[in-house]
Amino acid sequence: MIWNPTKESMSRDQMQALQGKRLHKIVEYVYHNVSFYRNKMQEMNVTPDDIETIEDINKLPFTTKQDLRDNYPYGLQAAPQSEIVRVHASTGTTGKPTIVGYTRKDIGVWSECMSRSLTAFGVTREDTFSVAYGYGLFTGGLGAHYGVENLGASVVPASTGNTEKHVRLINDLGITGIACTPSYALHLAETMEKMGIDIKNLKLRVGAFGAEPWTENMRKEIESRLHLNGYNIYGLSEIMGPSVSYECECKNGSHINEDHFFPEVINPDTLESVEDGTTGELVFTTLTKEGMPLLRYRTRDLCKLDHSVCSCARTSVRMSRILGRSDDMLIIRGINVFPSQIESVILSMKEFEPQYRLIIDRVDNLDTLKVQAELRNDYFKGDMGQLAELENLLAHQLKSVLSIRAKVQLMPSGSLERSLSKSNRVIDKRKFE
């Protein structure tokens, strides 16, 4: 099923015409209402009249996270405060948070996009859906909540924490769908197993997972342990929240709601656009947002775009999984390392739990990488020789992928701290020197 066939399945020519019309309107809007953009455009000798089609987007300035922080809290807000009905903030751990205001229309667009996502996952009015993202300044909880209500399904605002109670609700209420982070989904599965819950007898069938990077191997792990279909959902506070893009039943990339969020992928060094299928930095322009519209916002997320038509009949462009971050990338002994690479190796080996932690340090001016990985109970026989063999095996596999050697430390199952929201799997001690 498709929630909005008119917008999700329109021809490429129709989509580009709509995007061009909306781009001109939003540029005119921010030019007259946001001094930051007006000054930027004047420096570039650009006026709203220069923006006639979507191809003219490359005439516009980029926006960065630092720009948002420099204009904290309301410097990039375009709508008057009297029209702002909700405020969210980013979950960043460094610098000032990003404050984002939403008008009533923005909330409506957000709910519409979330309903498109849920429908693509197979959710209907007959479902009971648990939202286990955090409620509050983080956009996940309320973003998913309003989408479920807009769709007409029953929503259970479980939020995070008190996982045992959540498990009982899933069982007692016959909950059929859940939205949460992939790491929390695994924590939920572990809790059910410890409580002796027969997961096969639950009615869970759909999972909407996002807010942190996850791999195809982790999807298989979650689907196997929770006996559901897991779908990727992508969003970010600065642009809207969850449902900027979403997977369909084909699970071959996430469809971007490009009538509202125009995507580009650029080379982060040259800032030039790259071709379809080439990895680069994802950039978004909000085409309809009133509260805090953004022009060419550099997300720092690395991915690929695919404009080919999907077999689900949706014609919107698809983005790949996030392959890393251009700013969160780890540089270890001159080698670029992404945590997702390490996760992929660990999850490809049946001996290990899908839980790990990376510890980067500097000893005698040389970077070191330690990978802590939980060993499944079924594969530990108490033989120290076996442990050494598994450590060497994992170290060898990591070396073949990363091109650097990592020290492996095997951990007992359940020993690494579980996260109820976004997982923090990296400890970089070099930052505190």
Side-chain angles (χ1 to χ4, degrees), residues 85-153:
V85 298
R86 190 193 300 173
V87 173
H88 281 286
S90 69
T91 56
T93 57
T94 60
K96 296 177 180 177
T98 300
I99 302 298
V100 184
Y102 299 75
T103 66
R104 196 171 301 281
K105 179 184 174 184
D106 292 337
I107 299 298
V109 168
W110 192 0
S111 299
E112 156 73 13
C113 291
M114 191 70 207
S115 295
R116 294 180 189 180
S117 307
L118 293 166
T119 302
F121 304 157
V123 181
T124 72
R125 293 172 58 88
E126 305 302 318
D127 282 293
T128 300
F129 209 88
S130 172
V131 176
Y133 288 122
Y135 280 69
L137 290 175
F138 174 57
T139 55
L142 286 171
H145 183 115
Y146 272 58
V148 175
E149 285 189 341
N150 189 60
L151 178 70

Side-chain angles (χ1 to χ4, degrees), residues 315-335:
T315 55
S316 48
V317 62
R318 284 166 290 152
M319 57 182 278
S320 69
R321 284 181 178 276
I322 299 302
L323 305 173
R325 294 271 299 175
S326 63
D327 56 350
D328 289 345
M329 177 177 65
L330 302 170
I331 301 178
I332 303 173
R333 298 178 219 158
I335 302 294

